[in-house]
């Protein structure tokens, strides 16, 4: 459920996620959704969105995000086999599927092992 709220991944600036839809996905299946330009820190700060902590992860209120970003949201209603390359340091989420529907996808994450440019906190 946490992934169905808008959020950003902060693994590193050389971080990339790839999603491959394993079934046709439309609105009823809960497609992947991304907010354009929110990978840019300056743009993101200009939105003045309030984030909150949910199980040690920062999340944003979906309705507030949609109200602020208006037409900057891209929703991926696509066919089986569609490949999506995403910089998930930008705001994104999986939309909640309708009752009795689901989204099936393969997700792959790529990040250099010793990235000097990583945002990840090390302890």
């Amino acid at each position: 459920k946490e992934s169905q709220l808008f959020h950003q991944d902060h693994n590193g600036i050389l971080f990339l996620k790839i999603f491959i839809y394993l079934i046709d996905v439309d609105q009823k299946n809960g497609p992947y959704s991304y907010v354009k330009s929110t990978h840019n820190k300056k743009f993101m700060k200009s939105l003045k969105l309030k984030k909150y902590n949910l199980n040690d992860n920062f999340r944003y209120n979906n309705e507030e995000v949609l109200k602020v970003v208006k037409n900057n949201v891209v929703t991926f209603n696509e066919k089986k086999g569609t490949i999506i390359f995403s910089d998930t340091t930008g705001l994104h989420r999986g939309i909640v599927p309708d009752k009795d529907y689901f989204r099936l996808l393969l997700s792959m994450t790529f990040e250099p092992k010793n990235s000097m440019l990583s945002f990840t906190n090390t302890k």
Side-chain angles (χ1 to χ4, degrees):
K1 296 209 175 214
E2 289 180 31
S3 66
Q4 295 169 342
L5 299 170
F6 278 109
H7 64 282
Q8 297 173 287
D9 297 335
H10 292 286
N11 296 60
I13 61 172
L14 299 177
F15 182 73
L16 176 69
K17 274 198 179 174
I18 297 174
F19 304 105
I20 302 174
Y21 281 170
L22 301 177
I23 62 171
D24 291 347
V25 175
D26 60 21
Q27 202 62 33
K28 68 181 177 287
N29 299 94
Y32 177 67
S33 184
Y34 188 87
V35 183
K36 294 186 279 186
S37 301
T38 55
H39 68 288
N40 179 300
K41 283 185 184 182
K42 190 173 182 178
F43 179 76
M44 187 65 195
K45 282 183 181 181
S46 75
L47 298 177
K48 298 182 176 151
L49 292 168
K50 182 181 176 186
K51 59 184 170 183
Y52 61 94
N53 194 318
L54 179 64
N55 299 325
D56 293 326
N57 294 300
F58 289 112
R59 297 294 186 250
Y60 297 85
N61 178 282
N62 288 340
E63 289 75 26
E64 181 184 357
V65 170
L66 293 171
K67 180 179 172 185
V68 170
V69 298
K70 298 183 180 25
N71 297 324
N72 275 1
V73 179
V74 178
T75 300
F76 293 88
N77 294 303
E78 303 293 340
K79 297 288 185 192
K80 174 182 174 180
T82 296
I83 302 171
I84 303 164
F85 291 82
S86 185
D87 173 355
T88 56
T89 61
L91 283 176
H92 63 282
R93 69 174 176 151
I95 296 173
V96 178
D98 290 352
K99 186 177 186 214
D100 298 327
Y101 287 91
F102 60 92
R103 176 183 69 238
L104 186 61
L105 58 85
L106 174 64
S107 174
M108 294 175 276
T109 303
F110 297 92
E111 177 184 16
K113 183 176 181 180
N114 295 316
S115 174
M116 295 296 288
L117 302 172
S118 179
F119 291 130
T120 306
N121 292 329
T122 55
K123 294 180 182 176

